[in-house]
Amino acid sequence: MPCLESMMEPVSASPGTSPAAGTETEESSSSLRRETVTAPPILQGMGWFFSPLWSPRSKTRRKKFGDFMKSDQVEAWLDDHSDFTRAYFLRRASAVSGPQTEMSPHLARFPRSSSDHSDLITKAHPRRTSSPLSSHMNISSLMDRLKPLAPNLSAPEWMDRSASPDVLSCHSTCSPRSSRHSFSPCRPLSPICICSHDSPHFSQPPCPSAAKSAACGQGECCPWMMELLRGGLSWMGSVKDLCQGAVLHAGELLAAEGSSLCLVRKDCSGRNTLEEVIAPTAMGCSSEDNLCSHAHLELVKGIMGCVLATGSPMNLRDVSEDPRFDLDDDQSSKIRTVLSVPIKNHRGEVVGVVIMINKRNVYDGSVSVFTSMDEKILSNHMDVLGMVLDNVQLYESSRQEAKRSQALIEMAQVLSKEHHSFEVLLSKMAAPIMPFTHAQYCTIFIPCEQSSVAEAKVSFSRVIHLECEELGSACQIYRRERDIRDIDPSYALRTLVAMETLNMSQSPEESMKSLICCPVRNERSEDVIAVCQLMNKRSRDSDEMEAFNRYDERLLEDLAVYCGLALQYAQAVQITEERRASIEVTQEVLAYHITAAEQEIQALQETTIPSAESLLILDFHFSGFGLPEDLTTQAAIRMFLDLNLVQDFNIDYKSLCQWVLTVRRGYRNNVPYHNWNHALSTAQSMFAMLKATDQLQTIFSRLEILALMIATLNHDLDHRGVSNSYIERSHQPLAQLYGHSSLENHHYNLCIFILNNTGSQILSGLSIDDHRTALHLIKRAILATDLTVYMERRKEFFSLSRKSKVSWRSEKQRDILRSMLMTASDLSAITKPWPEQKRIANLVAMEFFAQGDKEREEFKIKPIDIMNRENSTRLPYMQVEYIDDICYPLYKAVSRLFDTCSPLLYGCKKNRENWLHLAKDTKEENSENSSCVTLETHKNNEEETQKEE
């Protein structure tokens, strides 16, 4: 064998090389010499790799040879390796006259595994032009020569184990998810080299200098390995061709009569099984010859199964004498000696098994036994084959992942777009995977809604059928209109019932091996809502049908996930469209019933509107109770007329009449307090403040005044007689729709609905910008009537009221002023004359107590005091507290800023006194203490008011 020393040449030319050749060598490598000062020796050939002494299974890996070893250690090593010693001296005796080489002081280490495959055979520049590897033996060339095989390979089923995410995530530098080498599905992985100087696993034993000899019978370099490195992978069309070349070469070296090779794959249960790649065949014969009877095949499978189970070689000198195998006379006469070794990858995992049968004696042709050297030679060849297969597998895995990523991106893009047809959506989703899987047909079965899987009464209502037609390098996808009766649904029905992926490649039915089905599940209910089926996987090299592999299963399962999303999306869109149509119908019905009759509109339009003085709407003590219904609408019209809003904004008078009547119909008559009368009273209070205070009309723009008047009339539209807290606690749709200030948002939206209703569009004369601004002002004003908003903002308003002079040019300050005036108008019932105030207080208490009764019944809780009917006798005290906490501070601040609004403050104080006197007449316990407290507060308020006056 050629020792390592013979492959590590000095810089000078070989003794047998001519000066001219040496000159050429120096010239060809001169550029390389300029880059390095000293060049370490380079491995000249690959013959060392197939030497029996270089074996991953050799026990000598535990020691380093040559590091301070003495003569007794050398003798001990030679005694332990008698085969090497005998071969060495025979070669030395036959090569006495041959050129000798010096032993290199540098011994490379060749580990079994590739812990760092970024460092390949050597980093030195090549020096010998006569070397078979020459200057091409570098890292990039090795990677480039191993990669070309992958694009032309058909990924067999045995790749599934390593291509699966479970195996790809193992802690290895060759793993796509390794921490040292990031994995990109769009970039092929680097091939693995089993030679790494950094691996500490074992050291190469010393190789005495020897002449060039036949490590594998073909000279210094193995032709099979050199063919792989020189580009032989590029013309090998499949993994089978690669394996066949390795088996034929190894069979020739071992003079075997027959051989076979199987690769490992995992079945559905995760168990390792052998898949035959090269059937037991006589060497040099294309057919199975007489070696492959059924009995012989079973014997070969049994031996290879033992090797797979143990992971160790098996050398049988006489098969008939092995008790593990029961042979008849015919078997023992045909198969006598067997050598079988496992094919392992760089991680030591068994990826295949090879077997050699009947070693023939080269002299007389008789059957002889396989020697230990034969076992080592075969093992070394299979190590290289395992490394190459592992690289092919990883490269193919990366290509498959790149295709899968591309298909997923295309399906996601299709899903993100809007499609009006469900069939078109699914067709576009299925189209990307058909070219990748080479499937001719793709069918999506949609089951009937009434189908019950539990009762085994399943059927399909419709199918979506796609056909793929190859046009040169491109593929054209067609969607065919097919009836459910024209397509065999039996396999889809099996998938629907089993709810698992069905791959017919594992079925004994030869005619349907090229079919795969996958269920489409609803992510929420886990129900099967469809079945995807691929048929007729075409071979890339011929028109024959192939079985779908694990990559095809993954793509189909990905399609199933996206189809499930598409189905849910289509269902959601359908439900949304139905609900939108339902809302439109509801709005149409609401618009019809809420809009006043034409006769009523015409009557109001033709009626002469009384003056503001006759209607008493300029008075802060105006009361809408007892006012005829016709006069209430006329009073609202009069407010818009006297503020010149009709003239300034070109409001159609008929539209104004219809709008007022529609707003009145928008309030519920069965609500005691928050009804149309309250809305009119709120609008009248705002109107009275605007008319009484010229400063307010100067501060606000005309558009702001219009927005305030619209907001006051609409601020409690469709009020239900309950508070926001009750709506939120009872989880009513209003709470789910708005979240906070539910009632106020509902009032605003209904206000917009009426403003957009045909015939009630009083804002149609505004420009686009003014219309947008008006709606914003209306919304802010209506939301300000929520007492929670008032409590949050009143501190800032009270601070403004204490200033000697306030500039209202700031939009923020005007927004606060509008909000406070809306609250002042909304609470103005507390400023009305005592009979009116007492009546309104009882109506409010009626609403509150009704809500408290609902809370007690529905939520089983005790209502708060103001809503607890048991506290009805404490109404006067609660009114005094209400005035002191909410009303009095607000009217005091408004009167301080605008003294013309002081009647509101005086009315509030007067009603507080009346409630306080009423509280003294009650017979409730502790009334005296409560009176003392409230009287003291009242005295302080009076003293403060007198000081201000």
Side-chain angles (χ1 to χ4, degrees):
M1 80 163 235
C3 70
L4 185 62
E5 178 186 8
S6 67
M7 289 179 286
M8 303 178 70
E9 296 290 330
V11 176
S12 60
S14 302
T17 307
S18 66
T23 303
E24 292 179 3
T25 304
E26 292 179 0
E27 290 177 356
S28 63
S29 59
S30 60
S31 60
L32 299 177
R33 289 198 192 100
R34 296 190 200 103
E35 299 177 3
T36 57
V37 178
T38 60
I42 184 171
L43 299 179
Q44 178 178 340
M46 294 299 291
W48 59 269
F49 190 77
F50 301 97
S51 168
L53 292 182
W54 186 87
S55 172
R57 302 169 181 84
S58 176
K59 298 180 181 179
T60 60
R61 72 177 70 181
R62 300 176 182 174
K63 292 185 178 181
K64 294 184 178 180
F65 185 83
D67 295 339
F68 308 102
M69 296 186 67
K70 298 180 181 179
S71 59
D72 57 344
Q73 292 176 314
V74 174
E75 293 179 2
W77 189 89
L78 292 175
D79 292 337
D80 293 337
H81 300 80
S82 58
D83 293 342
F84 166 77
T85 305
R86 181 171 58 256
Y88 171 76
F89 284 108
L90 287 175
R91 287 195 302 273
R92 293 292 294 170
S94 62
V96 173
S97 60
Q100 304 295 321
T101 57
E102 298 179 358
M103 177 176 289
S104 172
H106 305 287
L107 293 176
R109 294 174 294 169
F110 302 96
R112 167 75 177 165
S113 63
S114 171
S115 61
D116 186 1
H117 59 80
S118 61
D119 296 327
L120 295 180
I121 296 178
T122 182
K123 296 181 181 178
H125 297 287
R127 302 249 178 217
R128 289 183 53 187
T129 57
S130 60
S131 170
L133 295 180
S134 187
S135 62
H136 301 289
M137 188 58 189
N138 52 39
I139 296 177
S140 61
S141 65
L142 179 60
M143 294 169 64
D144 295 338
R145 291 173 186 275
L146 286 177
K147 285 180 184 177
L149 173 63
N152 300 323
L153 291 178
S154 301
E157 292 293 337
W158 65 270
M159 289 184 177
D160 293 350
R161 175 176 55 84
S162 297
S164 65
D166 296 337
V167 178
L168 290 178
S169 62
C170 64
H171 299 288
S172 168
T173 57
C174 301
S175 171
R177 299 180 185 176
S178 171
S179 60
R180 294 192 57 183
H181 302 278
S182 61
F183 169 68
S184 172
C186 300
R187 183 176 65 254
L189 298 176
S190 300
I192 303 166
C193 178
I194 60 174
C195 313
S196 174
H197 295 291
D198 299 332
S199 298
H201 292 210
F202 71 98
S203 301
Q204 172 71 12
C207 299
S209 62
K212 299 178 181 179
S213 59
C216 62
Q218 305 285 339
E220 182 186 30
C221 298
C222 172
W224 175 69
M225 184 60 185
M226 294 307 301
E227 193 67 24
L228 292 181
L229 297 178
R230 285 182 175 180
L233 293 176
S234 61
W235 56 263
M236 290 185 181
S238 65
V239 172
K240 181 177 180 180
D241 297 334
L242 174 66
C243 296
Q244 189 168 7
V247 169
L248 289 176
H249 176 67
E252 291 175 359
L253 295 180
L254 273 59
E257 187 178 275
S259 61
S260 178
L261 187 145
C262 294
L263 294 178
V264 176
R265 61 161 293 172
K266 280 191 175 182
D267 56 16
C268 299
S269 61
R271 184 177 50 189
N272 288 337
T273 59
L274 289 174
E275 183 179 82
E276 188 177 82
V277 177
I278 300 176
T281 309
M283 298 300 297
C285 298
S286 58
S287 62
E288 296 182 358
D289 202 22
N290 297 328
L291 189 64
C292 298
S293 66
H294 178 73
H296 294 143
L297 290 176
E298 292 301 320
L299 175 61
V300 170
K301 289 181 180 179
I303 296 174
M304 299 177 79
C306 291
V307 175
L308 173 63
T310 60
S312 302
M314 179 179 291
N315 191 346
L316 302 179
R317 297 177 179 269
D318 191 345
V319 179
S320 61
E321 295 180 358
D322 196 303
R324 291 173 294 182
F325 308 103
D326 186 14
L327 306 179
D328 53 25
D329 295 337
D330 179 66
Q331 288 177 304
S332 60
S333 62
K334 290 291 183 67
I335 300 179
R336 297 178 58 186
T337 61
V338 169
L339 174 61
S340 180
V341 299
I343 305 172
K344 296 185 178 181
N345 58 19
H346 74 287
R347 294 181 293 274
E349 301 168 347
V350 179
V351 298
V353 178
V354 66
I355 187 171
M356 295 292 168
I357 304 172
N358 295 347
K359 178 180 177 67
R360 289 292 178 181
N361 193 303
V362 294
Y363 298 106
D364 57 7
S366 61
V367 177
S368 60
V369 298
F370 291 98
T371 64
S372 59
M373 186 173 293
D374 294 334
E375 178 182 334
K376 293 176 181 179
I377 291 176
L378 181 60
S379 297
N380 291 334
H381 279 76
M382 293 305 105
D383 287 336
V384 175
L385 179 61
M387 181 266 290
V388 174
L389 289 176
D390 205 31
N391 279 277
V392 170
Q393 170 194 356
L394 292 175
Y395 188 80
E396 184 68 14
S397 297
S398 67
R399 291 179 62 250
Q400 295 292 345
E401 287 297 327
K403 294 195 303 182
R404 177 171 176 261
S405 300
Q406 182 180 351
L408 293 179
I409 291 174
E410 292 181 9
M411 287 189 287
Q413 290 175 346
V414 171
L415 187 60
S416 63
K417 297 178 181 178
E418 183 177 356
H419 300 276
H420 299 287
S421 172
F422 175 66
E423 286 76 8
V424 172
L425 174 60
L426 288 186
S427 301
K428 291 184 177 180
M429 301 251 333
I433 73 164
M434 296 185 70
F436 294 144
T437 59
H438 299 279
Q440 185 177 1
Y441 304 112
C442 177
T443 308
I444 301 175
F445 297 85
I446 301 177
C448 300
E449 296 182 359
Q450 295 80 11
S451 296
S452 175
V453 177
E455 300 176 0
K457 296 179 180 179
V458 292
S459 59
F460 297 106
S461 60
R462 51 179 174 160
V463 294
I464 300 173
H465 186 72
L466 304 178
E467 295 184 8
C468 180
E469 180 180 348
E470 292 188 357
L471 303 175
S473 59
C475 294
Q476 186 68 38
I477 310 297
Y478 300 95
R479 183 164 64 92
R480 305 294 187 188
E481 296 293 338
R482 299 290 295 273
D483 190 83
I484 184 64
R485 293 169 294 184
D486 300 335
I487 300 178
D488 181 14
S490 58
Y491 300 100
L493 288 173
R494 288 169 56 182
T495 304
L496 180 63
V497 175
M499 302 178 66
E500 294 179 353
T501 302
L502 175 65
N503 192 342
M504 295 305 295
S505 63
Q506 305 165 7
S507 172
E509 302 178 35
E510 295 293 336
S511 60
M512 294 306 297
K513 277 188 174 294
S514 189
L515 184 143
I516 184 173
C517 293
C518 180
V520 178
R521 291 183 173 87
N522 188 326
E523 294 297 330
R524 296 180 180 177
S525 61
E526 292 297 328
D527 295 334
V528 177
I529 55 179
V531 175
C532 294
Q533 174 179 287
L534 294 180
M535 279 186 61
N536 296 359
K537 178 181 176 69
R538 296 185 301 271
S539 174
R540 284 178 286 187
D541 303 325
S542 64
D543 294 334
E544 296 181 359
M545 297 300 169
E546 295 181 352
F548 289 100
N549 55 33
R550 178 55 187 158
Y551 289 115
D552 301 327
E553 287 186 25
R554 292 184 63 190
L555 275 176
L556 186 59
E557 289 169 355
D558 294 333
L559 173 63
V561 172
Y562 277 89
C563 284
L565 295 175
L567 283 170
Q568 294 181 31
Y569 170 75
Q571 292 173 358
V573 170
Q574 182 180 0
I575 293 173
T576 302
E577 293 297 329
E578 291 175 356
R579 290 181 177 177
R580 181 181 301 172
S582 176
I583 290 174
E584 292 178 357
V585 172
T586 303
Q587 289 179 345
E588 182 182 354
V589 173
L590 175 62
Y592 173 78
H593 289 282
I594 201 174
T595 303
E598 185 65 29
Q599 297 83 355
E600 191 176 5
I601 297 172
Q602 187 175 358
L604 178 60
Q605 182 181 359
E606 296 175 353
T607 300
T608 301
I609 306 299
S611 63
E613 291 78 7
S614 61
L615 293 172
L616 303 177
I617 55 177
L618 295 174
D619 191 353
F620 284 104
H621 300 305
F622 169 82
S623 173
F625 289 102
L627 199 64
E629 195 173 63
D630 294 341
L631 288 180
T632 58
T633 54
Q634 294 174 18
I637 297 292
R638 173 52 62 187
M639 296 176 197
F640 277 78
L641 293 173
D642 285 4
L643 289 172
N644 295 323
L645 299 178
V646 177
Q647 299 85 344
D648 293 345
F649 296 102
N650 297 322
I651 299 176
D652 180 71
Y653 187 70
K654 181 180 180 182
S655 298
L656 178 63
C657 294
Q658 179 176 333
W659 176 77
V660 171
L661 292 172
T662 303
V663 169
R664 186 187 70 182
R665 295 169 68 94
Y667 284 90
R668 300 192 179 193
N669 295 326
N670 60 341
V671 178
Y673 173 67
H674 292 93
N675 48 37
W676 167 245
N677 286 328
H678 168 66
L680 180 64
S681 178
T682 303
Q684 185 273 330
S685 297
M686 179 66 71
F687 173 77
M689 286 189 288
L690 291 172
K691 294 296 288 183
T693 309
D694 295 336
Q695 187 181 358
L696 286 177
Q697 297 198 43
T698 304
I699 294 173
F700 294 134
S701 66
R702 300 299 298 165
L703 194 62
E704 288 176 299
I705 294 175
L706 174 64
L708 287 173
M709 292 305 300
I710 293 175
T712 51
L713 277 176
N714 292 266
H715 80 283
D716 274 336
L717 268 174
D718 194 42
H719 199 289
R720 283 89 188 284
V722 293
S723 63
N724 285 324
S725 62
Y726 176 82
I727 291 177
E728 294 173 3
R729 186 175 298 175
S730 57
H731 303 290
Q732 293 186 12
L734 285 180
Q736 299 176 4
L737 187 60
Y738 304 112
H740 66 91
S741 299
S742 302
L743 283 172
E744 286 72 25
N745 279 288
H746 177 60
H747 302 328
Y748 167 73
N749 284 332
L750 194 54
C751 170
I752 298 301
F753 173 76
I754 295 176
L755 287 173
N756 292 331
N757 191 22
T758 303
S760 301
Q761 300 167 341
I762 61 175
L763 300 181
S764 59
L766 300 179
S767 64
I768 296 177
D769 292 338
D770 287 347
H771 189 274
R772 185 184 303 109
T773 303
L775 295 183
H776 173 71
L777 294 173
I778 293 171
K779 183 175 183 178
R780 295 284 297 176
I782 292 178
L783 293 181
T785 58
D786 187 352
L787 285 182
T788 304
V789 177
Y790 161 71
M791 298 300 291
E792 292 174 354
R793 307 191 67 182
R794 71 174 188 170
K795 183 177 181 180
E796 187 176 357
F797 179 70
F798 293 164
S799 299
L800 288 176
S801 67
R802 297 190 186 97
K803 294 182 179 180
S804 58
K805 188 176 182 181
V806 181
S807 175
W808 300 103
R809 295 180 181 178
S810 170
E811 171 60 26
K812 180 180 179 181
Q813 293 181 352
R814 292 207 311 277
D815 180 59
I816 294 176
L817 179 59
R818 291 194 301 267
S819 298
M820 295 299 112
L821 292 182
M822 284 295 299
T823 305
S825 301
D826 191 21
L827 306 180
S828 62
I830 200 68
T831 67
K832 301 301 180 182
W834 172 244
E836 191 75 11
Q837 156 61 197
K838 188 175 180 181
R839 179 182 178 183
I840 293 174
N842 289 327
L843 294 176
V844 174
M846 188 183 303
E847 274 190 22
F848 285 175
F849 292 155
Q851 177 178 331
D853 295 341
K854 293 180 181 179
E855 292 178 351
R856 190 190 305 274
E857 180 181 355
E858 296 177 10
F859 311 136
K860 310 301 180 184
I861 61 173
K862 181 180 179 181
I864 60 176
D865 291 343
I866 61 174
M867 296 185 181
N868 192 350
R869 192 177 296 275
E870 297 175 357
N871 294 332
S872 59
T873 56
R874 298 191 67 251
L875 179 61
Y877 296 102
M878 291 188 290
Q879 284 294 103
V880 173
E881 292 174 0
Y882 167 66
I883 293 173
D884 291 341
D885 295 339
I886 305 295
C887 304
Y888 183 81
L890 173 62
Y891 292 120
K892 178 180 175 182
V894 173
S895 299
R896 186 179 295 159
L897 287 171
F898 312 104
D899 55 354
T900 53
C901 297
S902 56
L904 296 173
L905 177 63
Y906 296 149
C908 179
K909 291 170 58 179
K910 185 64 176 176
N911 285 327
R912 184 184 183 278
E913 293 176 359
N914 292 330
W915 285 115
L916 194 58
H917 288 304
L918 184 62
K920 290 181 179 179
D921 297 335
T922 60
K923 298 180 180 179
E924 185 178 353
E925 294 182 359
N926 300 326
S927 62
E928 184 176 356
N929 295 335
S930 300
S931 300
C932 292
V933 174
T934 53
L935 280 173
E936 185 65 26
T937 305
H938 175 65
K939 290 180 180 178
N940 294 335
N941 291 337
E942 284 185 346
E943 292 176 359
E944 187 176 354
T945 304
Q946 290 176 359
K947 290 180 181 178
E948 292 176 359
E949 292 175 353

